[in-house]
Amino acid sequence: MNVIISASELASELAGPNPPTLLDVRWQLSTAKAGGAAPFDGRAAYASGHVPGAVFVDLDADLAGPAGPAGRHPLPDLAHFGEAMRAAGVSARRPVVVYDGGQGWAAARAWWMLRWTGHPAVRVLDGGLAAWSGPVTTETEELVAGDFEPAPGALPLLDADGAAALARTGLLLDARAAERYRGDVEPIDPVGGHIPGAVSAPTTENVTENGRFRPAAELADRFKTLGVNDAAEVGVYCGSGVSAAHEVLALAVAGIPAALYVGSWSEWSAAGSRPVAAGPDPQ
């Protein structure tokens, strides 16, 4: 099954006899609190207008656990995640489409969580709400609860030790901006730099100017240049397992399976005891 869907394809499916469950996961990484400004409010954005039939899912509350030593967006409690997905109407035998405001990171995190916990048919709206030219509504949806029961393990998952090992034996991609990889700046976490052996691969380079994924062949060429080959295992991390999910999705578009290190740099750097590399070279 394809992992992304175009806006026109989604409009056609929503008008058909068996529309997918539609989840709105608008979210933005924000350091606004440090400057005294209010952070982005995805629920308010949803209330101001969403694709008809969509149900809001809160990334911080439903797709991640509380921030702490395991990172800013660790895995959520699976019982809570399952309850949230069923409340949003997710059922195992009904396809799911996820969208966000257009960046794709939050939608990819929802895609990864549902796929990792065993849902067989989940796609991300390519380009997000920004690509949607159909009607929007402010009406609250009348929901029928779903029956989805999470069964983790359907996609590969890395912990810190696994990420460190993969950086030596396979290919570990760092999906953050190149300046954060190098350690030139670090606006969020206590230490700048990268996991030794990891290769810089900003996820922003997987999309075009309009926020939509590059063609599969183009993505495959990009990842081949970065070191992906038929024999190498691939893993991805970022700051907190959100933009890295977007890179895992881009790899899936290119037909390349990859593991996600959910704790990512926010877990790795918080320990204070793990090695850190700086500069443009992996080591």
Side-chain angles (χ1 to χ4, degrees):
M1 184 178 186
N2 292 332
V3 294
I4 57 175
I5 183 172
S6 69
S8 60
E9 289 169 333
L10 177 59
S12 178
E13 291 193 13
L14 290 174
N18 298 300
T21 300
L22 189 58
L23 304 181
D24 182 314
V25 197
R26 270 177 279 181
W27 171 90
Q28 289 180 13
L29 177 65
S30 175
T31 56
K33 288 183 179 179
F40 176 80
D41 188 340
R43 191 175 297 276
Y46 168 84
S48 68
H50 53 269
V51 179
V55 180
F56 180 72
V57 171
D58 190 315
L59 185 151
D60 291 314
D62 300 329
L63 305 179
R72 286 192 306 280
H73 293 104
L75 291 173
D77 174 82
L78 287 183
H80 171 78
F81 172 71
E83 182 179 353
M85 292 302 98
R86 290 189 295 273
V90 176
S91 290
R93 292 175 298 277
R94 185 180 179 189
V96 176
V97 173
V98 190
Y99 72 86
D100 58 23
Q103 188 178 44
W105 295 5
R109 174 66 179 234
W111 166 83
W112 186 88
M113 279 298 308
L114 283 165
R115 288 289 297 114
W116 177 67
T117 53
H119 198 292
V122 189
R123 291 165 293 172
V124 169
L125 174 59
D126 195 17
L129 188 62
W132 178 255
S133 59
V136 296
T137 182
T138 59
E139 295 182 4
T140 302
E141 307 305 323
E142 294 186 13
L143 293 177
V144 175
D147 62 11
F148 180 67
E149 293 287 348
L155 294 182
L157 173 67
L158 295 172
D159 59 12
D161 290 341
L166 187 58
R168 298 189 300 270
T169 63
L171 179 66
L172 183 65
L173 300 176
D174 185 319
R176 298 173 301 161
E179 58 267 25
R180 291 185 68 192
Y181 171 88
R182 294 191 302 267
D184 298 345
V185 298
E186 183 42 68
I188 307 172
D189 294 311
V191 179
H194 58 270
I195 297 173
V199 173
S200 180
T203 201
T204 52
E205 296 179 16
N206 295 320
V207 297
T208 62
E209 293 78 6
N210 61 15
R212 300 178 194 178
F213 281 105
R214 299 185 184 279
E218 192 173 324
L219 288 171
D221 286 343
R222 181 193 184 216
F223 292 123
K224 183 178 180 180
T225 299
L226 290 169
V228 171
N229 58 61
D230 292 339
E233 292 185 31
V234 181
V236 189
Y237 77 95
C238 59
S240 64
V242 178
S243 66
H246 188 264
E247 185 124 300
V248 172
L249 180 62
L251 284 154
V253 171
I256 302 165
L260 176 66
Y261 173 24
V262 172
S264 284
W265 189 249
S266 58
E267 178 187 38
W268 184 275
S269 63
S273 58
R274 296 190 179 99
V276 172
D281 296 327
Q283 302 298 337

